[in-house]
């Protein structure tokens, strides 16, 4: 499973790139607005220049024609742009047009296997089931990821990759990897937690203390 960072924060992205573990970034309007970004295009272009992998960028209009036009425009910002299109009937139509033009689509706000299957059939490069938001309403979000992965595997002509999104804690990453998700897109706090283990910290301290005792002799 590959790891994307789910943020529009430039400092977090630069730091995660230094760790050498992220191969893409996903953004959404909420994440971008949280950063108080004045120039949407400039911020996205900067992210695209920092990370040499797919950068998902949400289309911010409604209606088939406006979405297609905006997606075409956004796709010119950088070669690694992926446009995020919502999992609606209009979104399907938009996805099928864009896919035929070679524009990569992340079919987002997916909450069911049916939505993901239709997104894949329309030509989406990625589908993004939102695990945490399903958990929030008492559903089993990870089960949807498992179902999508399982069904896509049964049909070898489907090359759409599954991004486990709306990841809230490290256990979501464990479960997504076990489910066979191609990618988990994780907020920075989850990425930080993924590497932490108290036994590692205790082990490092003990090794250094033991070494100091020996080296003093
Ligand atoms: O990748 C989708 C993600 O940004 C949504 O996460 O935590 O707002 O449900 P959340």
């Amino acid at each position: 499973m590959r790891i994307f960072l789910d943020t529009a924060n430039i400092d977090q992205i630069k730091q995660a790139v230094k760790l050498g573990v992220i191969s893409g970034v996903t953004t959404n309007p909420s994440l971008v607005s949280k950063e108080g970004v004045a120039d949407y295009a400039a911020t996205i272009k900067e992210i695209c220049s920092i990370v040499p992998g797919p950068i998902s960028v949400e289309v911010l209009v409604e209606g088939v024609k406006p979405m297609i036009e905006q997606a075409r425009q956004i796709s010119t910002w950088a070669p690694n742009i992926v446009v995020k299109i919502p999992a609606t009937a209009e979104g399907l139509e938009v996805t099928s047009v864009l896919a035929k033009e070679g524009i990569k689509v992340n079919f987002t706000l997916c909450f069911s296997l049916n939505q993901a299957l239709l997104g894949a059939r329309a030509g989406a490069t990625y589908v993004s089931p939102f695990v945490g938001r399903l958990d929030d309403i008492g559903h089993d979000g990870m089960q949807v990821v498992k179902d999508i992965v399982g069904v896509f595997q049964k049909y070898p002509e489907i090359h759409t990759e599954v991004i486990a999104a709306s990841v809230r804690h490290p256990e979501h990453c464990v479960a997504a990897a076990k489910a066979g998700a191609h990618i988990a897109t994780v907020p920075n706090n989850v990425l930080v937690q993924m590497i932490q283990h108290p036994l590692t910290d205790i082990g490092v301290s003990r090794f250094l203390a033991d070494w100091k005792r020996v080296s003093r002799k």
Side-chain angles (χ1 to χ4, degrees), residues 135 181 201:
D135 292 352
D201 298 339

Side-chain angles (χ1 to χ4, degrees), residues 6 26 28 31 84 130 133 165-168 185:
D6 194 27
T26 52
N28 65 37
L31 292 172
K84 278 177 117 176
F130 274 36
R133 290 193 194 184
S166 186
V167 161
R168 302 281 171 76
T185 186

Side-chain angles (χ1 to χ4, degrees), residues 92-112:
L92 272 182
E93 196 176 331
V94 171
T95 298
S96 73
V97 170
L98 297 175
K100 286 187 191 87
E101 294 176 10
I103 296 173
K104 289 187 174 160
V105 171
N106 177 348
F107 202 57
T108 189
L109 288 164
C110 261
F111 295 96
S112 73

Side-chain angles (χ1 to χ4, degrees), residues 5-9 26-37 84 187:
L5 200 64
D6 194 27
T7 186
N9 182 291
T26 52
T27 66
N28 65 37
S30 309
L31 292 172
V32 175
S33 71
K34 207 165 91 186
E35 299 308 321
V37 163
K84 278 177 117 176

